[in-house]
């Protein structure tokens, strides 16, 4: 019996290794080799086209760390991270709470709120740029209409405002996802828990804090994780909406990388930006990944 | 769950709020739809309504992006199916093995999540050329599978962790091996999770521009995102056709969502909160 | 149900993928031309040129690969191709320094022979030749000219207020003042690192003169010297002081919408604006017209696209590429392209008959300027790319906050970069 168990164990392990082999090899080639290549490139000066490149050591990094442009970009990326972790998450949760529970036309509401998530960023930014036109655009027209003319903004043209404007458009897109995750999370909370609490005389607020929110923890992990990663990689919406402008005020790491590499032909420097982006993401998201790995263990065997 | 008691007034308030929020979310889409029917002269005023429904933009748009939609379908459908499958294949052992052993591999695969794609462009090109998949649609499938591994593994690993252990034990008693269990029982039982992940993956593959630009070399392989981009960067911006073709390009994704949304909602978290 | 849907979609996918395996392979056999003229009038223009080329010479048969995006995306695609993909025989390049960057990396071949055959030296203005010449050799064909120093104005508003197009900066300021007094914003502008910079060229030309302009471009003049200070001050007093409210929040086309609505009366922009205004229902010569920005002489500042020739192709590609370039430089090829695109043929032997009202006028201006040797290339494209980009971004920031301190700061910063660029030998030599 024991021998049989052991041989089964061995067979199981063989199958597991077989299953993992393909993905791991693919991962090694796609990620490890590529990142190594980029790290190497970041130590060179290369215009991207010449057959030759020159080794420059850490020069690219040194000039990056000295530049005010890079500093501003790092700060912008951090702003995006904070924004993504807080705003679309909370808004998605609120809308999910609002819609949960036998409203008629649920399907329509759900579709409308989710739809922006799947629209391509090029189209999103084209529409939102219209909404943001200072004179005649929807936002300023509405603000003027309700009598707060002083509050009209130069949405994409003011260096102090532009980041928030792009974020608002991103919020429109991202909320659909968090909403749907929370909505399905709410659906799967066992009804008995809430009934029981209600019979015990708990208030809706306390039910929310003590029962609903803990039950939504898996949803929160999913949303926060994916948004955190999106925030560190953010590119499309910024690039197509503001191009990082005006005067580079809304640049993020990925758009700066692109601009440096392909508009001003400094591939080594662009690679250095990429490596910094990678390290930053690793430092900021690593704790989260570790948490996930551990949490999964708790649930596992 | 239903937290709200059925107080009619509260219910009415919720309706009002829901309608209001949906309206706000709908406004940008409405602007796009209305604009798609406008002539260039009417487009100069964002908030105006078109005098009559001009379908010219849709004709122009379709000419420009029709082929792209087809290309995108050829890229997206197999890429999504394969990447979800490979993610499941990786996730299965990780969900079954004991923690100490799987932790390292799992952690390692997840670390791919924070690699910005812009930096892998050149190496990816080299690799794909070396294996002869440069400028082929299957080449794009491979790339999307490879770069989808972290997210797909993460997602499916979480899903599998919540499939009741008893299922596996029952299968074992029936003489089902570990591989047989995966294909015959676990995968079919995880369809909701697979559907949910498919929507997330479809969206990122469908919207990809970077890999498409790196790895394709002709209009025959250009996806719809690239075709759309062509409208904006031309010196004569054509917003009408852009809006019309954006709408065209969203329709396949919308269909996918409507088709799978029940499963999506059920599967997003897997059984994890059962 | 769900499983069946999946099964069905897998089958569809399989069918599609079998189809997907074949077409790209065929497309590689013919030599290619790459461009980012991918939609609308631009795409039409290119196919008109390709048809003319094919009709003229069977060898000049290239396959078009559209690159989605613009110069940066083209660069990205070429970079990959030169690493070992399939580089095109001919591709759309920017002028001057952008072209030089390709030459420097050893990826282009000189086309002096084609240039001689099409009598380039005679048929193109010296200012235009400068945009395709590096170290005395020609590397590309100038395909289309866009004039970027014309100021478009709303004719009806001017008529109502009894204004005439200004010829000097003083007149310009007076016109702007009248407009302002009557509640109309004088001058439109848009965000982005190009437009504001283009708006400085008339002021730079009028203070530095053509010679000084070229000196600045070739790195032989300081950015923070008295001349540039004066030029930027002139730009500030004439243009910046009269920009419409919140200009930095507009794209060039949404700013054009303000012009169409009559909210703003003037707009210095490339002549693609004319096509936009026409599409928006304004009539050229009736509702709008243009005057050259008052830079002193009748300089015409041009922006152009160049067809560049790669050195990497095999014999067949080289032959086809050169045959194609020959047609592209000829009057026929140039007209076929430019009539569709709404730009002007740089080859001065191309006839003017078929242009529209705006095109005829622009063509005349170009001809006069060619005769006077006053065709001036876009400064941004003459400067080393990094410096041009920095200038573009700095000028946007400065124009939003035009204080004397900000001006000093900007010019000093540019001068630092100018010195760096000299050390790197990055400036153009003609």
């Amino acid at each position: 019996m024991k021998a049989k168990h052991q041989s089964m164990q061995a067979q199981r392990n063989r199958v597991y290794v077989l299953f993992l082999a393909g993905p791991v090899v693919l991962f090694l080639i796609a990620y490890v080799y590529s990142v190594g290549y980029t790290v190497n490139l970041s130590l060179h000066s290369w215009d991207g086209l010449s057959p030759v490149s020159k080794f420059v050591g850490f020069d690219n990094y040194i000039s990056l760390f000295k530049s005010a442009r890079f500093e501003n970009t790092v700060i912008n990326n951090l702003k995006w991270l904070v924004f993504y972790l807080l705003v679309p998450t909370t808004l998605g949760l609120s809308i999910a709470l609002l819609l949960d529970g036998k409203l008629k036309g649920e399907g329509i509401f759900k579709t409308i709120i989710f739809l922006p998530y799947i629209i391509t960023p090029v189209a999103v930014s084209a529409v939102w740029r219209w909404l943001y036109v200072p004179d005649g655009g929807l936002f300023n027209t509405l603000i003027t209409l309700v009598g707060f003319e002083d509050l009209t903004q130069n949405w994409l043209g003011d260096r102090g405002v532009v980041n928030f404007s792009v974020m608002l458009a991103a919020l429109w897109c991202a909320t659909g996802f968090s909403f749907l995750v929370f909505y399905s999370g709410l659906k799967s909370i066992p009804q008995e828990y809430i009934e029981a609490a209600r019979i015990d005389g708990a208030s809706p607020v306390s039910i929310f804090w003590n029962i609903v929110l803990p039950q939504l923890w898996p949803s929160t992990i999913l949303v926060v994780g994916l948004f955190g990663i999106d925030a560190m990689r953010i590119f499309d919406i910024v690039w197509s909406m503001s191009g990082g402008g005006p005067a580079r005020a809304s640049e993020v790491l990925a758009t700066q990388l692109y601009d440096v590499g392909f508009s001003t032909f400094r591939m080594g420097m662009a690679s250095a930006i990429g490596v910094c982006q990678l390290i930053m993401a690793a430092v900021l998201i690593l704790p989260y990944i570790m948490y996930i790995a551990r949490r999964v263990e708790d649930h596992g065997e | 769950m239903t937290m709200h008691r059925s107080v009619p007034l509260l219910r009415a308030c919720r309706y009002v709020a829901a309608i209001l929020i949906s309206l706000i979310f709908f406004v940008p889409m409405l602007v796009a739809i209305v604009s798609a029917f406008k002539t260039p002269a009417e487009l100069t005023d964002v908030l105006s309504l078109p005098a009559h429904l001009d379908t010219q933009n849709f004709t122009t748009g379709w000419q420009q992006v029709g082929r792209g939609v087809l290309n995108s379908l050829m890229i997206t459908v197999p890429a999504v199916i394969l990447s979800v499958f490979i993610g499941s294949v990786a996730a299965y052992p990780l969900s079954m093995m004991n923690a100490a052993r799987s932790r390292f591999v799992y952690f390692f695969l997840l670390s791919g999540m924070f690699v910005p794609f812009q930096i892998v462009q050149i190496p990816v090109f080299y690799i794909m050329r070396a294996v002869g998949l440069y400028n082929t649609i299957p080449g794009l499938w491979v790339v999307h599978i490879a770069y989808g591994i972290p997210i797909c593994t993460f997602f499916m690993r979480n899903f599998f962790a919540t499939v009741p252990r008893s299922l596996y034990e029952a299968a074992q008693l029936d003489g089902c091996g570990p591989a047989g269990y995966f294909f015959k029982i676990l995968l079919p039982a995880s369809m909701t999770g697979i559907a949910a992940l498919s929507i997330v993956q479809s969206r990122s593959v469908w919207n990809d521009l970077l890999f498409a630009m790196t790895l394709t070399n002709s209009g025959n392989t250009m996806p719809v995102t690239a075709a759309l981009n062509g409208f904006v960067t031309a010196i004569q911006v054509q917003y009408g056709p852009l809006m019309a073709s954006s709408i065209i390009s969203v329709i396949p994704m919308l269909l996918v969502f409507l088709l799978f949304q029940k499963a999506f909602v059920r599967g997003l978290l897997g059984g994890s909160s059962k | 149900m769900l499983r069946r849907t999946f099964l069905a979609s897998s089958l569809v996918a399989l069918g599609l993928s079998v189809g997907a395996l074949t077409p790209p392979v065929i497309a590689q056999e013919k030599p290619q031309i790459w461009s980012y003229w991918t939609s609308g009038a631009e795409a039409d223009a290119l196919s008109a040129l390709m048809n003319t080329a094919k009709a003229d010479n069977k060898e000049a048969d290239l396959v078009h690969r559209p690159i989605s995006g613009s110069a940066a995306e083209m660069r990205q695609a070429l970079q990959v191709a030169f690493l070992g993909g399939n580089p095109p025989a001919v591709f759309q390049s920017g002028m001057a320094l952008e072209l030089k960057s390709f030459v420097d990396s050893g990826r282009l071949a000189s086309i002096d022979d084609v240039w001689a055959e099409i009598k380039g030296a005679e048929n193109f203005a010296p200012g235009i030749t400068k945009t395709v010449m590096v170290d005395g050799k020609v590397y590309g064909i100038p395909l289309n000219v866009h004039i970027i120093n014309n100021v478009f104005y709303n004719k009806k508003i001017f008529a109502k207020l009894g204004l005439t197009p200004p010829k000097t900066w003083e007149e310009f300021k007076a016109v702007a003042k009248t407009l302002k007094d009557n509640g109309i914003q004088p001058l439109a502008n848009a965000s982005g690192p190009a437009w504001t910079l283009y708006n400085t060229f008339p002021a730079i030309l009028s203070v530095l003169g053509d010679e000084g302009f070229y000196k600045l471009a070739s790195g032989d003049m300081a950015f923070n010297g008295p001349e540039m200070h004066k030029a930027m001050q002139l730009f500030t007093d004439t243009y910046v002081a009269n920009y419409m409210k919140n200009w930095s929040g507009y794209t060039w086309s949404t700013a054009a919408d303000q012009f169409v609505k009559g909210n703003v009366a003037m707009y210095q922009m490339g002549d693609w604006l004319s096509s936009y205004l026409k599409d928006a229902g304004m009539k050229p010569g009736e509702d709008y017209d243009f005057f050259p920005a008052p830079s002193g002489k009748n300089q015409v500042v041009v922006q152009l696209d160049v067809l560049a020739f790669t050195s990497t192709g095999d014999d067949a590609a080289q032959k086809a590429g050169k045959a194609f370039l020959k047609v592209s430089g000829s009057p026929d090829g140039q007209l076929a392209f430019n009539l569709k695109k709404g730009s002007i043929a740089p080859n001065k032997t191309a006839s003017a008959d078929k242009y529209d009202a705006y095109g005829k006028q622009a063509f005349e201006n170009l001809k006069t300027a060619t005769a006077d040797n006053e065709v001036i290339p876009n400064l941004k494209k003459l400067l080393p790319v990094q410096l041009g980009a920095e200038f573009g971004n700095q000028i946007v920031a400065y124009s939003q906050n035009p204080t004397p301190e900000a001006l000093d700061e900007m010019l000093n910063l540019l001068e630092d970069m100018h010195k760096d660029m000299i050390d790197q030998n990055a400036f153009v030599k003609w």
Side-chain angles (χ1 to χ4, degrees):
Chain A
M1 184 65 200
K2 203 171 180 213
K4 195 184 168 207
H5 184 77
Q6 261 175 358
S7 85
M8 260 178 64
Q9 185 87 34
Q11 186 212 358
R12 241 170 65 185
N13 284 342
R14 268 201 306 278
V15 171
Y16 290 163
V17 169
L18 211 65
F19 268 55
L20 273 175
V24 168
V25 169
L26 213 54
F27 180 89
L28 282 175
I29 300 172
Y31 284 94
V32 179
Y33 167 77
S34 302
V35 170
Y37 179 93
T38 306
V39 171
N40 180 43
L41 194 53
S42 74
L43 304 175
H44 288 76
S45 161
W46 184 42
D47 71 353
L49 290 174
S50 299
V52 289
S53 61
K54 203 177 98 202
F55 182 79
V56 295
F58 286 95
D59 281 8
N60 288 324
Y61 291 94
I62 294 168
S63 44
L64 261 191
F65 294 144
K66 276 199 255 170
S67 90
R69 178 182 178 191
F70 183 68
E71 192 188 319
N72 178 50
T73 308
V74 169
I75 293 171
N76 278 348
N77 251 80
L78 293 177
K79 281 187 200 159
W80 273 97
L81 186 63
V82 173
F83 159 78
Y84 253 115
L85 294 186
L86 294 181
V87 189
T89 354
T90 332
L91 183 63
L93 177 60
S94 318
I95 300 177
L97 285 170
L98 177 77
L99 289 188
D100 178 54
K102 304 193 180 78
L103 281 190
K104 268 186 193 144
E106 209 180 313
I108 297 171
F109 293 138
K110 214 164 59 187
T111 309
I112 289 180
I113 290 164
F114 181 73
L115 200 53
Y117 177 68
I118 53 177
I119 301 176
T120 171
V122 179
V124 170
S125 60
V127 173
W128 278 76
R129 273 201 312 240
W130 274 336
L131 304 183
Y132 281 143
V133 167
D135 189 350
L138 183 76
F139 283 101
N140 279 353
T141 308
L142 280 182
I143 292 172
T144 314
L145 213 65
V146 293
F148 294 104
E149 201 162 344
D150 295 345
L151 292 181
T152 58
Q153 299 291 335
N154 185 4
W155 298 99
L156 294 173
D158 186 323
R159 278 178 282 163
V161 177
V162 60
N163 279 308
F164 299 106
S165 307
V166 182
M167 283 173 189
L168 191 60
L171 178 63
W172 181 66
C173 296
T175 303
F177 180 73
S178 57
F179 155 72
L180 211 58
V181 174
F182 285 123
Y183 185 75
S184 42
L186 287 172
K187 280 263 181 280
S188 57
I189 296 178
Q191 195 62 51
E192 309 87 71
Y193 290 14
I194 292 159
E195 272 318 312
R198 195 172 286 154
I199 291 164
D200 288 349
S203 71
V205 176
S206 108
I207 292 179
F208 175 75
W209 281 108
N210 296 320
I211 297 172
V212 177
L213 214 52
Q215 288 282 328
L216 284 179
W217 197 229
S219 324
T220 316
I221 287 176
L222 181 66
V223 170
V224 164
L226 294 186
F227 280 174
I229 290 152
D230 278 353
M232 289 313 297
R233 281 186 186 157
I234 184 104
F235 174 78
D236 289 351
I237 190 126
V238 179
W239 186 249
S240 53
M241 208 158 158
S242 71
R248 295 177 179 148
S250 60
E251 260 190 342
V252 288
L253 286 165
T255 62
Q256 190 182 349
L257 184 159
Y258 196 80
D259 183 64
V260 167
F262 299 106
S263 305
T264 60
F265 320 150
R266 290 170 291 165
M267 287 307 296
M269 179 82 87
S271 302
I273 296 172
V275 172
C276 292
Q277 188 180 354
L278 176 59
I279 293 171
M280 247 177 86
V283 169
L284 292 169
I285 303 177
L286 206 64
Y288 166 77
I289 301 273
M290 289 171 91
Y291 171 76
I292 296 285
R294 217 172 312 127
R295 179 182 160 267
V296 160
E297 283 164 21
D298 296 344
H299 276 242
E301 287 175 61
Chain B
M1 64 121 223
T2 315
M3 227 176 40
H4 314 272
R5 258 161 286 182
S6 307
V7 183
L9 185 70
L10 185 71
R11 218 175 147 71
C13 286
R14 285 174 60 214
Y15 268 114
V16 172
I19 290 170
L20 210 66
I21 288 173
S22 305
L23 274 181
I24 293 173
F25 268 81
F26 193 61
V27 163
M29 286 183 262
L30 190 69
V31 170
I33 294 167
V34 169
S35 304
F37 289 104
K38 284 182 176 179
T39 62
E42 290 166 336
L43 275 171
T44 57
D45 203 342
V46 181
L47 298 183
S48 67
L49 287 174
H52 63 101
L53 296 185
D54 185 12
T55 52
Q56 178 59 40
N57 290 331
F58 284 90
T59 319
T60 317
W62 178 250
Q63 279 165 0
Q64 170 111 357
V65 303
R67 179 65 209 242
V69 171
L70 190 68
N71 290 339
S72 283
L73 281 174
M74 294 198 293
I75 295 167
T76 308
V77 178
V80 169
I81 292 173
L82 291 171
S83 67
V84 171
F85 177 71
I86 296 288
S88 308
V89 166
Y92 167 58
L94 293 175
S95 70
M96 300 297 280
M97 277 153 79
N98 73 46
R101 264 196 252 172
S102 67
R103 185 192 300 150
F104 174 74
V105 179
Y106 186 51
F107 185 77
F108 180 62
L109 291 180
L110 288 196
S111 68
M113 282 197 194
F114 37 73
V115 173
F117 288 148
Q118 284 87 0
I119 71 171
V120 300
Q121 191 194 15
I122 294 176
V124 161
F125 165 75
Y126 274 133
I127 297 165
M128 296 315 276
R129 201 182 37 139
V131 297
L133 286 175
Y134 171 66
N135 196 24
T136 62
I137 286 184
L140 283 169
W141 303 341
V142 173
V143 166
H144 286 299
I145 294 167
Y147 289 96
I149 287 175
I151 171 80
C152 293
T153 307
F154 165 62
F155 200 106
M156 291 317 292
R157 166 72 184 82
N158 270 8
F159 194 94
F160 291 157
T162 59
V163 172
R165 196 73 183 172
S166 51
L167 211 58
Y168 177 67
E169 274 141 25
Q172 247 184 339
L173 288 179
D174 287 350
C176 210
Y181 168 69
F182 174 70
F183 286 106
K184 289 195 198 125
I185 298 173
L186 187 61
L187 275 190
S190 306
M191 272 304 164
T192 51
I194 290 175
L197 179 58
S198 299
I199 291 189
V200 175
Q201 268 298 88
S202 302
R203 180 233 188 198
S204 66
V205 176
W206 187 265
N207 285 342
D208 163 68
L209 191 57
L210 182 78
F211 289 129
M213 294 240 345
T214 313
L215 296 175
T216 61
N217 192 0
S218 69
N220 293 342
T221 46
M222 194 193 236
V224 64
T225 39
L228 281 178
N229 208 30
F231 277 122
V232 214
T233 47
I235 198 72
Q236 276 114 348
V237 265
Q238 298 176 289
Y239 282 118
L242 170 67
M243 288 304 135
S245 39
S246 299
I247 292 169
I248 295 173
S249 80
V250 168
I251 290 173
M253 286 299 297
L254 181 63
L255 288 180
V256 168
F257 172 68
L258 292 177
L259 212 59
F260 293 123
Q261 74 161 315
K262 281 240 167 64
F264 184 57
V265 170
R266 263 185 288 139
L268 254 175
L269 300 158
S272 64
S273 38
K274 262 173 210 157
Chain C
M1 160 66 201
L2 204 59
R3 277 168 76 181
R4 210 176 302 154
T5 322
F6 256 94
L7 211 67
S9 43
S10 314
L11 279 176
V12 172
L14 206 69
L16 286 172
S17 33
V18 172
L21 285 165
T22 36
V25 185
I26 302 165
Q28 285 174 26
E29 287 171 358
K30 273 191 191 170
Q32 297 188 344
I33 173 171
W34 290 7
S35 85
Y36 38 91
W37 293 306
T38 55
S39 71
E42 297 185 318
D44 294 347
L46 182 67
S47 48
L49 173 61
M50 287 171 68
N51 290 335
T52 311
K54 230 184 305 183
D56 192 74
N57 182 346
K58 253 194 262 154
E59 269 179 4
D61 188 8
L62 302 182
V63 175
H64 181 221
R65 177 193 172 191
I67 303 288
S68 166
S70 53
E73 285 78 11
M74 174 66 83
R75 179 103 188 165
Q76 198 182 351
L78 284 168
Q79 183 169 319
V80 169
F82 285 136
L83 291 174
N86 295 290
V90 171
F91 67 94
Q92 174 188 5
S93 159
M95 59 198 221
L97 256 282
E98 205 178 311
L99 193 66
K100 180 180 187 287
S101 73
F102 292 116
V103 177
D104 288 347
S105 61
R107 301 297 189 182
L108 298 193
S110 159
I111 49 157
D112 279 342
D113 48 345
V114 178
W115 193 248
E117 277 180 70
I118 60 169
K119 300 204 181 95
E122 286 166 48
N123 293 340
F124 294 88
I128 286 175
T129 307
K130 272 195 166 76
T131 65
V132 291
M133 192 174 265
V134 180
D135 292 326
K137 286 203 170 91
V138 173
Y139 286 92
I141 298 289
L143 186 59
N144 61 329
V145 167
H146 284 289
I147 299 175
I148 56 173
N149 66 329
N150 283 332
V151 180
F152 291 80
Y153 67 96
N154 186 316
K155 235 180 156 174
K156 294 205 162 130
I157 294 177
F158 267 48
K160 203 174 85 193
L161 301 176
L163 295 169
T164 51
K167 291 203 170 55
T168 65
W169 290 119
E170 287 315 311
E171 286 175 29
F172 184 89
K173 282 195 257 184
V175 165
K177 186 170 183 307
T178 314
L179 287 165
K180 260 188 192 164
D181 291 346
N182 286 279
I184 293 167
Q185 310 193 74
L187 190 63
N189 188 23
S191 196
W195 312 129
T196 312
L197 183 58
Y198 293 1
N199 277 345
T200 65
F201 298 162
I204 294 179
L205 277 170
S206 83
V207 174
L208 273 61
D210 299 2
E211 207 184 319
F213 185 91
Y214 284 125
K215 264 175 141 178
L216 190 71
S218 57
D220 299 319
M221 182 187 281
F223 272 80
N224 57 356
E227 301 94 336
M228 274 303 279
H229 255 103
K230 204 176 151 199
M232 288 298 113
Q233 198 55 55
L234 178 64
F235 163 67
T236 310
D237 298 340
T238 52
Y239 277 23
V240 179
N242 290 310
Y243 278 150
M244 65 185 184
K245 199 179 159 210
N246 291 335
W247 57 269
S248 58
Y250 293 86
T251 61
W252 80 264
S253 60
T254 48
D257 294 341
Q258 297 296 316
F259 183 91
V260 173
K261 286 192 248 176
N263 293 344
V264 58
M266 298 187 285
Y267 194 7
Q268 181 192 323
M269 183 44 65
D271 49 16
W272 47 85
L273 178 64
S274 182
S275 317
Y276 187 87
L277 298 179
K278 265 202 302 197
D279 283 347
M282 291 182 96
K283 289 202 182 66
E286 210 172 293
D287 295 321
Y288 73 94
D289 210 337
F290 71 90
F291 59 86
S295 49
K297 302 180 203 160
N298 285 324
Q299 289 111 331
V300 168
V301 183
V302 296
Q303 153 85 42
L304 42 89
D305 289 299
V306 172
L307 290 182
F309 180 66
T310 60
S311 58
T312 40
D314 55 17
D315 278 356
Q318 300 257 327
K319 247 192 197 155
K322 284 201 173 170
F324 189 86
L325 289 180
K326 213 186 293 174
V327 179
S328 312
S330 72
D332 283 353
Q334 298 231 313
L335 272 182
F337 184 87
N338 285 285
L339 288 176
K340 291 267 190 224
K341 188 169 189 294
S343 45
I344 312 296
N347 186 326
K348 60 188 176 194
T349 60
S351 88
D353 305 343
K354 287 184 185 149
Y355 290 116
D356 68 357
Y358 173 84
K360 280 201 175 100
Q361 218 175 331
F363 179 82
E364 282 309 314
N365 287 2
L366 186 67
K367 211 161 116 186
T368 323
T370 304
D372 301 344
N373 197 10
E374 292 290 359
V375 178
I376 310 276
N378 179 350
L379 178 67
K380 185 172 192 239
K381 306 294 170 78
L382 296 179
L383 291 171
V385 276
Q386 236 179 298
L387 185 55
E390 194 63 39
F391 198 177
N393 279 300
Q394 291 294 330
I395 198 78
V396 171
Y398 166 71
S399 303
Q400 287 185 282
N401 172 35
T403 62
E405 299 79 43
L407 180 59
D408 285 339
E409 202 184 312
M410 169 176 78
L411 292 178
N412 289 334
L413 194 144
L414 291 173
E415 178 56 22
D416 287 347
M417 199 168 208
H418 166 225
K419 288 197 183 111
D420 277 355
M421 296 285 118
I422 291 179
D423 291 343
Q424 294 172 25
N425 201 15
F427 283 93
V428 70
K429 306 263 178 304
W430 286 296

